[in-house]
Amino acid sequence: MARVADALLLLSFGGPEGPDDVLPFLENVTRGRGVPPERLAEVAQHYLHFGGVSPINALNRDIIAAVQRELSATGPELPVYFGNRNWHPMVEDTLARMTADGVRSALVFPTSAWGGYSGCRQYDEDIVRARAAVGSGAPELVKLRQYFDHPLLVAAFADGIRAARATLPAEHRKIARLVFTAHSVPVSADVAAGPPADGGRLYSRQVAETARLCAAATGFDDYDVVWQSRSGPPHIPWLEPDIVDHLEVLADKGFESVIICPVGFVSDHLEVIWDLDNEAAEKAAELGLSFARAATPGTDPRFAEMVVELIGEHLRDVTPRRLGAVPGYGWTTDGAPCAVDCCAPPRRPAGR
């Protein structure tokens, strides 16, 4: 049965666009999580190293422009709006503008391909919060599905891996170790990821599945999946190993070159640039490893094509194109979770 939508909302994380934005942005990101002030100050320096500007907003605007071009070329004709969780344009303000523009029903594309609390459920919470802020006239918001194993996403990542391998010295290309990275989360959050009946650990399972698909597409029989960007208190277990620690392990095993694919990120935002292009690249140089980093897929034309295909899945009730075997969810209305207790929010420290 055909469905109707008046607009598309690209919903993302947000990032500072000047030095004065950095600390307020980080306070928004970490509110209620018990992150020590010294850790915030440390991360702030990462942003200030780049003039206090995260590339994520500009990259998202580029994605929006590409999606608008694709929609104009192939249909349907939909206006595309931009809202963030943690920095301007805030999703509450964007939804108010959509309401004023007469939008009654909109599709929501989150810039996370994954399940889990941070990758999926928190976007549901953003939708609930924004609709509550607007009130009874708020549009219906239908969040599009998780797309971690979409053929176009895998193809874009695979081309990024091939291009990265080509930058290595010729004698290293066939023997380089392929390493996939994704954003670490607390182990407890990963255990709770997904509908309880599905066994949990949906986030790490989906990351592993995308890595498997990308490795197969590029002819790698063996590879590693590791993690980056840990930000929580040190006494709380997070997914490991960390990418920098893993480079030391690879060097100890005798590897001479490494290709890093940030498979858990759709764009080169600051965590990718800092953790991989700075810290990991510096560690690789220190260890004598030839280093290449694959591009993220957000700038690839196939990414916008994928977004429009996801829109078509919903509007025309088309069977989703998927390559993997790990379950995918995320297709919900007005911020409803995928299932009862799906990706339960993490417990906050008492008194915060």
mmCIF file with all atom_site columns, all heavy atoms in Angstrom, residues 100-127:
data_model
loop_
_atom_site.group_PDB
_atom_site.id
_atom_site.type_symbol
_atom_site.label_atom_id
_atom_site.label_alt_id
_atom_site.label_comp_id
_atom_site.label_asym_id
_atom_site.label_entity_id
_atom_site.label_seq_id
_atom_site.pdbx_PDB_ins_code
_atom_site.Cartn_x
_atom_site.Cartn_y
_atom_site.Cartn_z
_atom_site.occupancy
_atom_site.B_iso_or_equiv
_atom_site.pdbx_formal_charge
_atom_site.auth_seq_id
_atom_site.auth_comp_id
_atom_site.auth_asym_id
_atom_site.auth_atom_id
_atom_site.pdbx_PDB_model_num
ATOM 1   N N   . ALA A 1 100 ? 5.352  25.048 10.788 1.00 0.00 ? 100 ALA A N   1
ATOM 2   C CA  . ALA A 1 100 ? 4.929  26.330 10.220 1.00 0.00 ? 100 ALA A CA  1
ATOM 3   C C   . ALA A 1 100 ? 4.832  26.269 8.701  1.00 0.00 ? 100 ALA A C   1
ATOM 4   O O   . ALA A 1 100 ? 4.000  26.960 8.087  1.00 0.00 ? 100 ALA A O   1
ATOM 5   C CB  . ALA A 1 100 ? 5.892  27.430 10.647 1.00 0.00 ? 100 ALA A CB  1
ATOM 6   N N   . ASP A 1 101 ? 5.661  25.423 8.078  1.00 0.00 ? 101 ASP A N   1
ATOM 7   C CA  . ASP A 1 101 ? 5.643  25.271 6.626  1.00 0.00 ? 101 ASP A CA  1
ATOM 8   C C   . ASP A 1 101 ? 4.504  24.387 6.142  1.00 0.00 ? 101 ASP A C   1
ATOM 9   O O   . ASP A 1 101 ? 4.353  24.175 4.930  1.00 0.00 ? 101 ASP A O   1
ATOM 10  C CB  . ASP A 1 101 ? 6.977  24.689 6.136  1.00 0.00 ? 101 ASP A CB  1
ATOM 11  C CG  . ASP A 1 101 ? 8.122  25.678 6.239  1.00 0.00 ? 101 ASP A CG  1
ATOM 12  O OD1 . ASP A 1 101 ? 7.872  26.879 6.454  1.00 0.00 ? 101 ASP A OD1 1
ATOM 13  O OD2 . ASP A 1 101 ? 9.289  25.230 6.105  1.00 0.00 ? 101 ASP A OD2 1
ATOM 14  N N   . GLY A 1 102 ? 3.743  23.819 7.064  1.00 0.00 ? 102 GLY A N   1
ATOM 15  C CA  . GLY A 1 102 ? 2.599  23.007 6.683  1.00 0.00 ? 102 GLY A CA  1
ATOM 16  C C   . GLY A 1 102 ? 2.889  21.529 6.507  1.00 0.00 ? 102 GLY A C   1
ATOM 17  O O   . GLY A 1 102 ? 2.047  20.793 5.977  1.00 0.00 ? 102 GLY A O   1
ATOM 18  N N   . VAL A 1 103 ? 4.068  21.076 6.943  1.00 0.00 ? 103 VAL A N   1
ATOM 19  C CA  . VAL A 1 103 ? 4.387  19.650 6.845  1.00 0.00 ? 103 VAL A CA  1
ATOM 20  C C   . VAL A 1 103 ? 3.514  18.869 7.823  1.00 0.00 ? 103 VAL A C   1
ATOM 21  O O   . VAL A 1 103 ? 3.456  19.198 9.013  1.00 0.00 ? 103 VAL A O   1
ATOM 22  C CB  . VAL A 1 103 ? 5.881  19.401 7.152  1.00 0.00 ? 103 VAL A CB  1
ATOM 23  C CG1 . VAL A 1 103 ? 6.181  17.907 7.187  1.00 0.00 ? 103 VAL A CG1 1
ATOM 24  C CG2 . VAL A 1 103 ? 6.757  20.094 6.115  1.00 0.00 ? 103 VAL A CG2 1
ATOM 25  N N   . ARG A 1 104 ? 2.861  17.851 7.337  1.00 0.00 ? 104 ARG A N   1
ATOM 26  C CA  . ARG A 1 104 ? 1.978  17.045 8.189  1.00 0.00 ? 104 ARG A CA  1
ATOM 27  C C   . ARG A 1 104 ? 2.562  15.665 8.477  1.00 0.00 ? 104 ARG A C   1
ATOM 28  O O   . ARG A 1 104 ? 2.252  15.052 9.490  1.00 0.00 ? 104 ARG A O   1
ATOM 29  C CB  . ARG A 1 104 ? 0.606  16.906 7.530  1.00 0.00 ? 104 ARG A CB  1
ATOM 30  C CG  . ARG A 1 104 ? -0.101 18.239 7.320  1.00 0.00 ? 104 ARG A CG  1
ATOM 31  C CD  . ARG A 1 104 ? -1.421 18.070 6.612  1.00 0.00 ? 104 ARG A CD  1
ATOM 32  N NE  . ARG A 1 104 ? -2.342 17.251 7.383  1.00 0.00 ? 104 ARG A NE  1
ATOM 33  C CZ  . ARG A 1 104 ? -3.533 16.844 6.930  1.00 0.00 ? 104 ARG A CZ  1
ATOM 34  N NH1 . ARG A 1 104 ? -3.921 17.158 5.707  1.00 0.00 ? 104 ARG A NH1 1
ATOM 35  N NH2 . ARG A 1 104 ? -4.322 16.104 7.688  1.00 0.00 ? 104 ARG A NH2 1
ATOM 36  N N   . SER A 1 105 ? 3.390  15.154 7.552  1.00 0.00 ? 105 SER A N   1
ATOM 37  C CA  . SER A 1 105 ? 4.002  13.845 7.744  1.00 0.00 ? 105 SER A CA  1
ATOM 38  C C   . SER A 1 105 ? 5.372  13.869 7.086  1.00 0.00 ? 105 SER A C   1
ATOM 39  O O   . SER A 1 105 ? 5.494  14.258 5.918  1.00 0.00 ? 105 SER A O   1
ATOM 40  C CB  . SER A 1 105 ? 3.146  12.742 7.116  1.00 0.00 ? 105 SER A CB  1
ATOM 41  O OG  . SER A 1 105 ? 3.768  11.483 7.254  1.00 0.00 ? 105 SER A OG  1
ATOM 42  N N   . ALA A 1 106 ? 6.403  13.469 7.832  1.00 0.00 ? 106 ALA A N   1
ATOM 43  C CA  . ALA A 1 106 ? 7.762  13.501 7.309  1.00 0.00 ? 106 ALA A CA  1
ATOM 44  C C   . ALA A 1 106 ? 8.476  12.196 7.612  1.00 0.00 ? 106 ALA A C   1
ATOM 45  O O   . ALA A 1 106 ? 8.226  11.553 8.638  1.00 0.00 ? 106 ALA A O   1
ATOM 46  C CB  . ALA A 1 106 ? 8.540  14.675 7.896  1.00 0.00 ? 106 ALA A CB  1
ATOM 47  N N   . LEU A 1 107 ? 9.377  11.832 6.716  1.00 0.00 ? 107 LEU A N   1
ATOM 48  C CA  . LEU A 1 107 ? 10.287 10.723 6.953  1.00 0.00 ? 107 LEU A CA  1
ATOM 49  C C   . LEU A 1 107 ? 11.543 11.270 7.611  1.00 0.00 ? 107 LEU A C   1
ATOM 50  O O   . LEU A 1 107 ? 11.949 12.415 7.366  1.00 0.00 ? 107 LEU A O   1
ATOM 51  C CB  . LEU A 1 107 ? 10.631 10.021 5.648  1.00 0.00 ? 107 LEU A CB  1
ATOM 52  C CG  . LEU A 1 107 ? 9.446  9.481  4.853  1.00 0.00 ? 107 LEU A CG  1
ATOM 53  C CD1 . LEU A 1 107 ? 9.902  8.877  3.543  1.00 0.00 ? 107 LEU A CD1 1
ATOM 54  C CD2 . LEU A 1 107 ? 8.677  8.456  5.679  1.00 0.00 ? 107 LEU A CD2 1
ATOM 55  N N   . VAL A 1 108 ? 12.173 10.448 8.446  1.00 0.00 ? 108 VAL A N   1
ATOM 56  C CA  . VAL A 1 108 ? 13.372 10.858 9.173  1.00 0.00 ? 108 VAL A CA  1
ATOM 57  C C   . VAL A 1 108 ? 14.513 9.923  8.803  1.00 0.00 ? 108 VAL A C   1
ATOM 58  O O   . VAL A 1 108 ? 14.412 8.704  8.981  1.00 0.00 ? 108 VAL A O   1
ATOM 59  C CB  . VAL A 1 108 ? 13.144 10.822 10.701 1.00 0.00 ? 108 VAL A CB  1
ATOM 60  C CG1 . VAL A 1 108 ? 14.412 11.262 11.432 1.00 0.00 ? 108 VAL A CG1 1
ATOM 61  C CG2 . VAL A 1 108 ? 11.967 11.706 11.091 1.00 0.00 ? 108 VAL A CG2 1
ATOM 62  N N   . PHE A 1 109 ? 15.605 10.513 8.282  1.00 0.00 ? 109 PHE A N   1
ATOM 63  C CA  . PHE A 1 109 ? 16.809 9.745  7.996  1.00 0.00 ? 109 PHE A CA  1
ATOM 64  C C   . PHE A 1 109 ? 17.847 10.084 9.054  1.00 0.00 ? 109 PHE A C   1
ATOM 65  O O   . PHE A 1 109 ? 18.363 11.199 9.087  1.00 0.00 ? 109 PHE A O   1
ATOM 66  C CB  . PHE A 1 109 ? 17.357 10.084 6.609  1.00 0.00 ? 109 PHE A CB  1
ATOM 67  C CG  . PHE A 1 109 ? 18.674 9.410  6.319  1.00 0.00 ? 109 PHE A CG  1
ATOM 68  C CD1 . PHE A 1 109 ? 18.720 8.074  5.953  1.00 0.00 ? 109 PHE A CD1 1
ATOM 69  C CD2 . PHE A 1 109 ? 19.876 10.100 6.451  1.00 0.00 ? 109 PHE A CD2 1
ATOM 70  C CE1 . PHE A 1 109 ? 19.929 7.450  5.704  1.00 0.00 ? 109 PHE A CE1 1
ATOM 71  C CE2 . PHE A 1 109 ? 21.090 9.487  6.201  1.00 0.00 ? 109 PHE A CE2 1
ATOM 72  C CZ  . PHE A 1 109 ? 21.117 8.152  5.836  1.00 0.00 ? 109 PHE A CZ  1
ATOM 73  N N   . PRO A 1 110 ? 18.167 9.135  9.950  1.00 0.00 ? 110 PRO A N   1
ATOM 74  C CA  . PRO A 1 110 ? 19.218 9.376  10.948 1.00 0.00 ? 110 PRO A CA  1
ATOM 75  C C   . PRO A 1 110 ? 20.591 9.064  10.370 1.00 0.00 ? 110 PRO A C   1
ATOM 76  O O   . PRO A 1 110 ? 20.744 8.108  9.608  1.00 0.00 ? 110 PRO A O   1
ATOM 77  C CB  . PRO A 1 110 ? 18.862 8.406  12.076 1.00 0.00 ? 110 PRO A CB  1
ATOM 78  C CG  . PRO A 1 110 ? 18.163 7.277  11.383 1.00 0.00 ? 110 PRO A CG  1
ATOM 79  C CD  . PRO A 1 110 ? 17.494 7.845  10.157 1.00 0.00 ? 110 PRO A CD  1
ATOM 80  N N   . THR A 1 111 ? 21.580 9.866  10.726 1.00 0.00 ? 111 THR A N   1
ATOM 81  C CA  . THR A 1 111 ? 22.929 9.645  10.191 1.00 0.00 ? 111 THR A CA  1
ATOM 82  C C   . THR A 1 111 ? 23.674 8.604  11.010 1.00 0.00 ? 111 THR A C   1
ATOM 83  O O   . THR A 1 111 ? 24.858 8.750  11.312 1.00 0.00 ? 111 THR A O   1
ATOM 84  C CB  . THR A 1 111 ? 23.725 10.958 10.137 1.00 0.00 ? 111 THR A CB  1
ATOM 85  O OG1 . THR A 1 111 ? 23.765 11.541 11.446 1.00 0.00 ? 111 THR A OG1 1
ATOM 86  C CG2 . THR A 1 111 ? 23.099 11.930 9.156  1.00 0.00 ? 111 THR A CG2 1
ATOM 87  N N   . SER A 1 112 ? 22.992 7.561  11.377 1.00 0.00 ? 112 SER A N   1
ATOM 88  C CA  . SER A 1 112 ? 23.578 6.379  12.007 1.00 0.00 ? 112 SER A CA  1
ATOM 89  C C   . SER A 1 112 ? 22.946 5.169  11.354 1.00 0.00 ? 112 SER A C   1
ATOM 90  O O   . SER A 1 112 ? 21.718 5.095  11.231 1.00 0.00 ? 112 SER A O   1
ATOM 91  C CB  . SER A 1 112 ? 23.323 6.356  13.516 1.00 0.00 ? 112 SER A CB  1
ATOM 92  O OG  . SER A 1 112 ? 23.636 5.084  14.046 1.00 0.00 ? 112 SER A OG  1
ATOM 93  N N   . ALA A 1 113 ? 23.775 4.234  10.940 1.00 0.00 ? 113 ALA A N   1
ATOM 94  C CA  . ALA A 1 113 ? 23.292 3.044  10.243 1.00 0.00 ? 113 ALA A CA  1
ATOM 95  C C   . ALA A 1 113 ? 22.905 1.919  11.191 1.00 0.00 ? 113 ALA A C   1
ATOM 96  O O   . ALA A 1 113 ? 22.449 0.873  10.733 1.00 0.00 ? 113 ALA A O   1
ATOM 97  C CB  . ALA A 1 113 ? 24.382 2.544  9.290  1.00 0.00 ? 113 ALA A CB  1
ATOM 98  N N   . TRP A 1 114 ? 23.052 2.132  12.505 1.00 0.00 ? 114 TRP A N   1
ATOM 99  C CA  . TRP A 1 114 ? 23.123 1.022  13.449 1.00 0.00 ? 114 TRP A CA  1
ATOM 100 C C   . TRP A 1 114 ? 21.939 0.934  14.397 1.00 0.00 ? 114 TRP A C   1
ATOM 101 O O   . TRP A 1 114 ? 21.215 1.896  14.612 1.00 0.00 ? 114 TRP A O   1
ATOM 102 C CB  . TRP A 1 114 ? 24.396 1.181  14.304 1.00 0.00 ? 114 TRP A CB  1
ATOM 103 C CG  . TRP A 1 114 ? 25.563 1.543  13.469 1.00 0.00 ? 114 TRP A CG  1
ATOM 104 C CD1 . TRP A 1 114 ? 26.139 2.769  13.329 1.00 0.00 ? 114 TRP A CD1 1
ATOM 105 C CD2 . TRP A 1 114 ? 26.268 0.672  12.590 1.00 0.00 ? 114 TRP A CD2 1
ATOM 106 N NE1 . TRP A 1 114 ? 27.158 2.717  12.424 1.00 0.00 ? 114 TRP A NE1 1
ATOM 107 C CE2 . TRP A 1 114 ? 27.263 1.432  11.957 1.00 0.00 ? 114 TRP A CE2 1
ATOM 108 C CE3 . TRP A 1 114 ? 26.154 -0.684 12.283 1.00 0.00 ? 114 TRP A CE3 1
ATOM 109 C CZ2 . TRP A 1 114 ? 28.147 0.900  11.028 1.00 0.00 ? 114 TRP A CZ2 1
ATOM 110 C CZ3 . TRP A 1 114 ? 27.028 -1.228 11.359 1.00 0.00 ? 114 TRP A CZ3 1
ATOM 111 C CH2 . TRP A 1 114 ? 28.010 -0.435 10.748 1.00 0.00 ? 114 TRP A CH2 1
ATOM 112 N N   . GLY A 1 115 ? 21.829 -0.221 15.040 1.00 0.00 ? 115 GLY A N   1
ATOM 113 C CA  . GLY A 1 115 ? 20.985 -0.383 16.200 1.00 0.00 ? 115 GLY A CA  1
ATOM 114 C C   . GLY A 1 115 ? 21.739 0.019  17.454 1.00 0.00 ? 115 GLY A C   1
ATOM 115 O O   . GLY A 1 115 ? 22.877 0.475  17.404 1.00 0.00 ? 115 GLY A O   1
ATOM 116 N N   . GLY A 1 116 ? 21.092 -0.186 18.593 1.00 0.00 ? 116 GLY A N   1
ATOM 117 C CA  . GLY A 1 116 ? 21.693 0.200  19.868 1.00 0.00 ? 116 GLY A CA  1
ATOM 118 C C   . GLY A 1 116 ? 21.109 1.500  20.378 1.00 0.00 ? 116 GLY A C   1
ATOM 119 O O   . GLY A 1 116 ? 20.365 2.197  19.687 1.00 0.00 ? 116 GLY A O   1
ATOM 120 N N   . TYR A 1 117 ? 21.456 1.836  21.622 1.00 0.00 ? 117 TYR A N   1
ATOM 121 C CA  . TYR A 1 117 ? 20.884 3.053  22.212 1.00 0.00 ? 117 TYR A CA  1
ATOM 122 C C   . TYR A 1 117 ? 21.357 4.296  21.476 1.00 0.00 ? 117 TYR A C   1
ATOM 123 O O   . TYR A 1 117 ? 20.557 5.093  20.980 1.00 0.00 ? 117 TYR A O   1
ATOM 124 C CB  . TYR A 1 117 ? 21.237 3.158  23.700 1.00 0.00 ? 117 TYR A CB  1
ATOM 125 C CG  . TYR A 1 117 ? 20.720 4.448  24.297 1.00 0.00 ? 117 TYR A CG  1
ATOM 126 C CD1 . TYR A 1 117 ? 19.356 4.627  24.509 1.00 0.00 ? 117 TYR A CD1 1
ATOM 127 C CD2 . TYR A 1 117 ? 21.584 5.489  24.593 1.00 0.00 ? 117 TYR A CD2 1
ATOM 128 C CE1 . TYR A 1 117 ? 18.868 5.825  25.008 1.00 0.00 ? 117 TYR A CE1 1
ATOM 129 C CE2 . TYR A 1 117 ? 21.109 6.686  25.096 1.00 0.00 ? 117 TYR A CE2 1
ATOM 130 C CZ  . TYR A 1 117 ? 19.754 6.851  25.302 1.00 0.00 ? 117 TYR A CZ  1
ATOM 131 O OH  . TYR A 1 117 ? 19.272 8.041  25.785 1.00 0.00 ? 117 TYR A OH  1
ATOM 132 N N   . SER A 1 118 ? 22.682 4.494  21.353 1.00 0.00 ? 118 SER A N   1
ATOM 133 C CA  . SER A 1 118 ? 23.202 5.708  20.723 1.00 0.00 ? 118 SER A CA  1
ATOM 134 C C   . SER A 1 118 ? 22.918 5.739  19.231 1.00 0.00 ? 118 SER A C   1
ATOM 135 O O   . SER A 1 118 ? 22.709 6.809  18.659 1.00 0.00 ? 118 SER A O   1
ATOM 136 C CB  . SER A 1 118 ? 24.710 5.820  20.964 1.00 0.00 ? 118 SER A CB  1
ATOM 137 O OG  . SER A 1 118 ? 24.992 5.943  22.337 1.00 0.00 ? 118 SER A OG  1
ATOM 138 N N   . GLY A 1 119 ? 22.921 4.578  18.586 1.00 0.00 ? 119 GLY A N   1
ATOM 139 C CA  . GLY A 1 119 ? 22.765 4.533  17.148 1.00 0.00 ? 119 GLY A CA  1
ATOM 140 C C   . GLY A 1 119 ? 21.332 4.570  16.657 1.00 0.00 ? 119 GLY A C   1
ATOM 141 O O   . GLY A 1 119 ? 21.091 4.898  15.493 1.00 0.00 ? 119 GLY A O   1
ATOM 142 N N   . CYS A 1 120 ? 20.364 4.237  17.530 1.00 0.00 ? 120 CYS A N   1
ATOM 143 C CA  . CYS A 1 120 ? 18.975 4.159  17.085 1.00 0.00 ? 120 CYS A CA  1
ATOM 144 C C   . CYS A 1 120 ? 18.002 4.730  18.107 1.00 0.00 ? 120 CYS A C   1
ATOM 145 O O   . CYS A 1 120 ? 17.297 5.694  17.838 1.00 0.00 ? 120 CYS A O   1
ATOM 146 C CB  . CYS A 1 120 ? 18.623 2.712  16.758 1.00 0.00 ? 120 CYS A CB  1
ATOM 147 S SG  . CYS A 1 120 ? 16.980 2.494  16.028 1.00 0.00 ? 120 CYS A SG  1
ATOM 148 N N   . ARG A 1 121 ? 17.968 4.148  19.297 1.00 0.00 ? 121 ARG A N   1
ATOM 149 C CA  . ARG A 1 121 ? 16.957 4.542  20.282 1.00 0.00 ? 121 ARG A CA  1
ATOM 150 C C   . ARG A 1 121 ? 17.054 6.026  20.652 1.00 0.00 ? 121 ARG A C   1
ATOM 151 O O   . ARG A 1 121 ? 16.032 6.694  20.859 1.00 0.00 ? 121 ARG A O   1
ATOM 152 C CB  . ARG A 1 121 ? 17.113 3.674  21.542 1.00 0.00 ? 121 ARG A CB  1
ATOM 153 C CG  . ARG A 1 121 ? 16.139 3.994  22.689 1.00 0.00 ? 121 ARG A CG  1
ATOM 154 C CD  . ARG A 1 121 ? 14.705 3.607  22.366 1.00 0.00 ? 121 ARG A CD  1
ATOM 155 N NE  . ARG A 1 121 ? 13.819 3.887  23.484 1.00 0.00 ? 121 ARG A NE  1
ATOM 156 C CZ  . ARG A 1 121 ? 13.539 3.041  24.464 1.00 0.00 ? 121 ARG A CZ  1
ATOM 157 N NH1 . ARG A 1 121 ? 14.080 1.825  24.460 1.00 0.00 ? 121 ARG A NH1 1
ATOM 158 N NH2 . ARG A 1 121 ? 12.722 3.371  25.432 1.00 0.00 ? 121 ARG A NH2 1
ATOM 159 N N   . GLN A 1 122 ? 18.280 6.578  20.715 1.00 0.00 ? 122 GLN A N   1
ATOM 160 C CA  . GLN A 1 122 ? 18.408 7.977  21.085 1.00 0.00 ? 122 GLN A CA  1
ATOM 161 C C   . GLN A 1 122 ? 17.807 8.887  20.011 1.00 0.00 ? 122 GLN A C   1
ATOM 162 O O   . GLN A 1 122 ? 17.315 9.970  20.321 1.00 0.00 ? 122 GLN A O   1
ATOM 163 C CB  . GLN A 1 122 ? 19.867 8.335  21.354 1.00 0.00 ? 122 GLN A CB  1
ATOM 164 C CG  . GLN A 1 122 ? 20.016 9.568  22.238 1.00 0.00 ? 122 GLN A CG  1
ATOM 165 C CD  . GLN A 1 122 ? 21.413 9.744  22.778 1.00 0.00 ? 122 GLN A CD  1
ATOM 166 O OE1 . GLN A 1 122 ? 22.348 9.053  22.387 1.00 0.00 ? 122 GLN A OE1 1
ATOM 167 N NE2 . GLN A 1 122 ? 21.568 10.686 23.686 1.00 0.00 ? 122 GLN A NE2 1
ATOM 168 N N   . TYR A 1 123 ? 17.823 8.450  18.766 1.00 0.00 ? 123 TYR A N   1
ATOM 169 C CA  . TYR A 1 123 ? 17.143 9.224  17.725 1.00 0.00 ? 123 TYR A CA  1
ATOM 170 C C   . TYR A 1 123 ? 15.627 9.173  17.911 1.00 0.00 ? 123 TYR A C   1
ATOM 171 O O   . TYR A 1 123 ? 14.929 10.156 17.620 1.00 0.00 ? 123 TYR A O   1
ATOM 172 C CB  . TYR A 1 123 ? 17.547 8.712  16.340 1.00 0.00 ? 123 TYR A CB  1
ATOM 173 C CG  . TYR A 1 123 ? 18.953 9.113  15.960 1.00 0.00 ? 123 TYR A CG  1
ATOM 174 C CD1 . TYR A 1 123 ? 20.014 8.230  16.122 1.00 0.00 ? 123 TYR A CD1 1
ATOM 175 C CD2 . TYR A 1 123 ? 19.228 10.380 15.470 1.00 0.00 ? 123 TYR A CD2 1
ATOM 176 C CE1 . TYR A 1 123 ? 21.314 8.592  15.797 1.00 0.00 ? 123 TYR A CE1 1
ATOM 177 C CE2 . TYR A 1 123 ? 20.515 10.755 15.137 1.00 0.00 ? 123 TYR A CE2 1
ATOM 178 C CZ  . TYR A 1 123 ? 21.560 9.858  15.306 1.00 0.00 ? 123 TYR A CZ  1
ATOM 179 O OH  . TYR A 1 123 ? 22.841 10.236 14.992 1.00 0.00 ? 123 TYR A OH  1
ATOM 180 N N   . ASP A 1 124 ? 15.106 8.052  18.387 1.00 0.00 ? 124 ASP A N   1
ATOM 181 C CA  . ASP A 1 124 ? 13.686 8.001  18.750 1.00 0.00 ? 124 ASP A CA  1
ATOM 182 C C   . ASP A 1 124 ? 13.377 9.022  19.842 1.00 0.00 ? 124 ASP A C   1
ATOM 183 O O   . ASP A 1 124 ? 12.348 9.720  19.788 1.00 0.00 ? 124 ASP A O   1
ATOM 184 C CB  . ASP A 1 124 ? 13.311 6.598  19.235 1.00 0.00 ? 124 ASP A CB  1
ATOM 185 C CG  . ASP A 1 124 ? 13.425 5.540  18.161 1.00 0.00 ? 124 ASP A CG  1
ATOM 186 O OD1 . ASP A 1 124 ? 13.203 5.871  16.976 1.00 0.00 ? 124 ASP A OD1 1
ATOM 187 O OD2 . ASP A 1 124 ? 13.731 4.381  18.507 1.00 0.00 ? 124 ASP A OD2 1
ATOM 188 N N   . GLU A 1 125 ? 14.267 9.112  20.824 1.00 0.00 ? 125 GLU A N   1
ATOM 189 C CA  . GLU A 1 125 ? 14.066 10.090 21.901 1.00 0.00 ? 125 GLU A CA  1
ATOM 190 C C   . GLU A 1 125 ? 14.113 11.518 21.367 1.00 0.00 ? 125 GLU A C   1
ATOM 191 O O   . GLU A 1 125 ? 13.361 12.387 21.829 1.00 0.00 ? 125 GLU A O   1
ATOM 192 C CB  . GLU A 1 125 ? 15.126 9.886  22.984 1.00 0.00 ? 125 GLU A CB  1
ATOM 193 C CG  . GLU A 1 125 ? 14.986 8.560  23.726 1.00 0.00 ? 125 GLU A CG  1
ATOM 194 C CD  . GLU A 1 125 ? 16.085 8.345  24.752 1.00 0.00 ? 125 GLU A CD  1
ATOM 195 O OE1 . GLU A 1 125 ? 17.026 9.172  24.806 1.00 0.00 ? 125 GLU A OE1 1
ATOM 196 O OE2 . GLU A 1 125 ? 16.007 7.355  25.494 1.00 0.00 ? 125 GLU A OE2 1
ATOM 197 N N   . ASP A 1 126 ? 14.987 11.777 20.407 1.00 0.00 ? 126 ASP A N   1
ATOM 198 C CA  . ASP A 1 126 ? 15.028 13.107 19.784 1.00 0.00 ? 126 ASP A CA  1
ATOM 199 C C   . ASP A 1 126 ? 13.685 13.442 19.147 1.00 0.00 ? 126 ASP A C   1
ATOM 200 O O   . ASP A 1 126 ? 13.194 14.576 19.246 1.00 0.00 ? 126 ASP A O   1
ATOM 201 C CB  . ASP A 1 126 ? 16.114 13.157 18.707 1.00 0.00 ? 126 ASP A CB  1
ATOM 202 C CG  . ASP A 1 126 ? 17.514 12.961 19.248 1.00 0.00 ? 126 ASP A CG  1
ATOM 203 O OD1 . ASP A 1 126 ? 17.737 13.238 20.443 1.00 0.00 ? 126 ASP A OD1 1
ATOM 204 O OD2 . ASP A 1 126 ? 18.389 12.533 18.472 1.00 0.00 ? 126 ASP A OD2 1
ATOM 205 N N   . ILE A 1 127 ? 13.100 12.458 18.462 1.00 0.00 ? 127 ILE A N   1
ATOM 206 C CA  . ILE A 1 127 ? 11.813 12.666 17.799 1.00 0.00 ? 127 ILE A CA  1
ATOM 207 C C   . ILE A 1 127 ? 10.724 12.953 18.824 1.00 0.00 ? 127 ILE A C   1
ATOM 208 O O   . ILE A 1 127 ? 9.921  13.889 18.662 1.00 0.00 ? 127 ILE A O   1
ATOM 209 C CB  . ILE A 1 127 ? 11.465 11.438 16.937 1.00 0.00 ? 127 ILE A CB  1
ATOM 210 C CG1 . ILE A 1 127 ? 12.398 11.379 15.724 1.00 0.00 ? 127 ILE A CG1 1
ATOM 211 C CG2 . ILE A 1 127 ? 10.007 11.448 16.506 1.00 0.00 ? 127 ILE A CG2 1
ATOM 212 C CD1 . ILE A 1 127 ? 12.336 10.075 14.951 1.00 0.00 ? 127 ILE A CD1 1
#
